[in-house]
Amino acid sequence: MTDALRRPPNPIVSYIDTPDGASRLGAQVAGAREIAVDTEGASFHRFVDRVYLLQLSTRDVDAVVDPLAVPPPAELTALMESPEVEVIFHDADYDLRLLRQDYGWKVTKIFDTRVAAQLLGIKSFGLAALLEKYFGVKLDKKFQRADWSMRPLAPGMLDYAMLDTKHLLDLRDRMRAELERLGRMGWAQEEFTRLESTRWDPDEDDNGFLRMKGARDLNRRELAVLRELVAWRDDVSRSMDRATFRVVGNEPLLELARGAPATAAALGAVNGMPRAILERRSTEILDAVARGIAVPDDELPRFPRAAKWDRDPDFDDNVSKLRAVRDAAATRLDLDPGVLCSRDRLELIARKKPRTLAELSEIDGLRRWQIDEMGTEFLAALSPYR
């Protein structure tokens, strides 16, 4: 059964692409105590992602800001960073990273409807599924992979973008009420607080080539070639402002790393190499391969060593016992087991073998609410092996 939406039937809808429009929007939203926010990036099309469209909704205003034409008003910055204003997202992680990167915004009071849905035990927690479940609203996915960096925007794109925040405040109202009824609002608040520090680590992609699917099948020399090829592709993608896979896909790079071709003819035999790249940049690719071949043996890349643990003959049995506790709690709480506690957390508990709830609380990534729900049972499951 769906509920009627609680917002006014005809809220103010604005497309903001001028300084005057931004000033009016700032005045309209200045007093809000709740604001729903979404962004549109273009990582599927561009090398460096940024905010290409900013959507927001209060109880009285729906607006789409074009940040390529005008910066967000100062009043919006104040709202986003105010500890008194709740900012509602759906799947906040990516939006928070972009907003922190482009505007320096550090949001301090978050409600994430995706997280709320998972903590409520909802299996289909995409925004489209949630809006249909709660309100009977159906979202069209026509522009899901659209290039939001292009101007002018195609007809219908603004309406599509606006739907990402138009109903979020009503969705937040329903979900908050359900979380409170189930006694899980504290769980959600702990998760929301963790989101406040979300940002991109500027160094997190230095070894991105090691995370490429198939990289672990390469030897260290081949990894050195792959590293050079990935760096070359990144430079080209950056200069063209084009997503890396639109320049050269990963599979051709892996084949180049394995074969280390030394001639343009050999490059042309690599499956999936774009003709335009071969025609214009064969020399650059061959130079990248040569640099990888020339890396001294003692400087060849290697995968980071996994953390060393003392051999524990009871480890697998302990993990099984902890998983049984987790799965029983998941059934009792009607939650997905992975949401309740991930396997890597279970394995870390099994390795640490905590003796007390205090020791359990020191395990990285384990939430207070998880300890409250399962901590005593976890310790009991491990007690024969201490």
Side-chain angles (χ1 to χ4, degrees):
M1 179 178 293
T2 59
D3 284 359
L5 297 168
R6 294 170 52 193
R7 304 181 69 231
N10 296 300
I12 300 170
V13 180
S14 305
Y15 175 59
I16 309 300
D17 63 351
T18 67
D20 286 346
S23 295
R24 287 194 300 272
L25 176 64
Q28 289 169 347
V29 303
R33 283 296 165 264
E34 304 157 314
I35 185 168
V37 175
D38 187 49
T39 64
E40 300 296 347
S43 59
F44 191 73
H45 301 272
R46 302 291 178 176
F47 178 73
V48 178
D49 208 2
R50 57 161 295 178
V51 178
Y52 285 104
L53 214 61
L54 177 62
Q55 306 99 282
L56 60 95
S57 294
T58 67
R59 298 290 180 184
D60 304 306
V61 177
D62 292 322
V64 178
V65 179
D66 182 353
L68 300 186
V70 62
E75 292 89 345
L76 182 57
T77 297
L79 289 179
M80 295 294 291
E81 297 192 317
S82 171
E84 305 301 321
V85 176
E86 186 171 60
V87 185
I88 297 90
F89 298 91
H90 181 80
D91 199 1
D93 184 274
Y94 186 67
D95 299 307
L96 290 170
R97 291 173 190 271
L98 282 183
L99 294 171
R100 186 82 171 264
Q101 169 190 271
D102 286 11
Y103 307 129
W105 292 349
K106 187 178 186 299
V107 184
T108 56
K109 191 176 182 182
I110 296 167
F111 190 103
D112 187 331
T113 54
R114 181 182 187 273
V115 172
Q118 290 179 300
L119 295 180
L120 289 170
I122 297 172
K123 302 300 188 290
S124 297
F125 44 76
L127 181 58
L130 293 175
L131 292 183
E132 185 166 4
K133 170 185 171 65
Y134 281 99
F135 307 120
V137 172
K138 293 189 177 183
L139 298 187
D140 186 353
K141 298 183 180 180
K142 178 180 178 181
F143 296 108
Q144 199 167 27
R145 289 290 181 90
D147 184 356
W148 297 96
S149 67
M150 300 298 290
R151 295 295 185 274
L153 295 171
M157 290 180 75
L158 291 177
D159 291 337
Y160 171 90
M162 192 69 263
L163 288 173
D164 284 342
T165 61
K166 186 181 178 78
H167 305 303
L168 273 187
L169 290 169
D170 293 296
L171 185 59
R172 171 263 189 198
D173 293 344
R174 283 292 309 276
M175 295 187 130
R176 185 180 186 92
E178 290 190 31
L179 287 167
E180 290 175 345
R181 179 177 61 81
L182 292 173
R184 298 179 186 178
M185 192 57 219
W187 302 7
Q189 192 56 62
E190 185 174 357
E191 299 296 332
F192 299 158
T193 299
R194 284 175 172 264
L195 286 171
E196 293 177 7
S197 60
T198 302
R199 61 181 300 168
W200 267 303
D201 181 345
D203 298 322
E204 68 181 11
D205 289 327
D206 285 355
N207 292 316
F209 72 99
L210 294 175
R211 296 191 294 274
M212 187 182 293
K213 184 179 179 181
R216 286 192 174 274
D217 297 327
L218 304 180
N219 61 40
R220 293 181 66 196
R221 178 62 59 191
E222 292 166 345
L223 282 175
V225 176
L226 180 65
R227 179 174 61 187
E228 296 297 330
L229 289 167
V230 169
W232 164 80
R233 183 179 65 175
D234 284 353
D235 287 342
V236 173
S237 299
R238 185 180 295 106
S239 69
M240 300 173 70
D241 194 16
R242 184 176 296 176
T244 55
F245 78 93
R246 294 180 179 273
V247 175
V248 182
N250 288 349
E251 285 303 321
L253 293 191
L254 289 166
E255 187 173 340
L256 289 170
R258 288 188 291 263
T263 66
L267 283 181
V270 174
N271 187 41
M273 282 297 297
R275 182 178 297 276
I277 291 293
L278 289 173
E279 291 176 350
R280 301 173 187 172
R281 299 183 181 271
S282 289
T283 299
E284 297 173 14
I285 298 172
L286 293 173
D287 288 346
V289 171
R291 288 194 298 273
I293 296 296
V295 172
D297 288 348
D298 61 350
E299 297 178 13
L300 292 173
R302 66 170 72 242
F303 286 93
R305 295 183 183 277
K308 290 186 176 180
W309 299 94
D310 294 334
R311 180 171 176 77
D312 182 357
D314 299 319
F315 173 74
D316 290 336
D317 191 32
N318 282 347
V319 172
S320 295
K321 289 179 178 294
L322 293 169
R323 185 170 59 247
V325 170
R326 189 270 313 267
D327 291 352
T331 299
R332 170 172 55 86
L333 297 167
D334 193 22
L335 285 177
D336 182 280
V339 170
L340 187 55
C341 190
S342 65
R343 180 178 174 82
D344 67 320
R345 293 282 80 77
L346 296 179
E347 292 182 350
L348 195 52
I349 296 169
R351 295 189 189 282
K352 294 285 189 178
K353 292 184 178 179
R355 295 174 177 271
T356 65
L357 291 176
E359 290 179 5
L360 188 62
S361 68
E362 294 174 359
I363 292 178
D364 185 45
L366 201 61
R367 287 17 175 190
R368 180 72 255 170
W369 65 267
Q370 293 170 323
I371 296 171
D372 290 343
E373 290 296 329
M374 299 175 290
T376 301
E377 290 79 5
F378 279 161
L379 295 179
L382 293 175
S383 61
Y385 300 100
R386 293 174 187 163

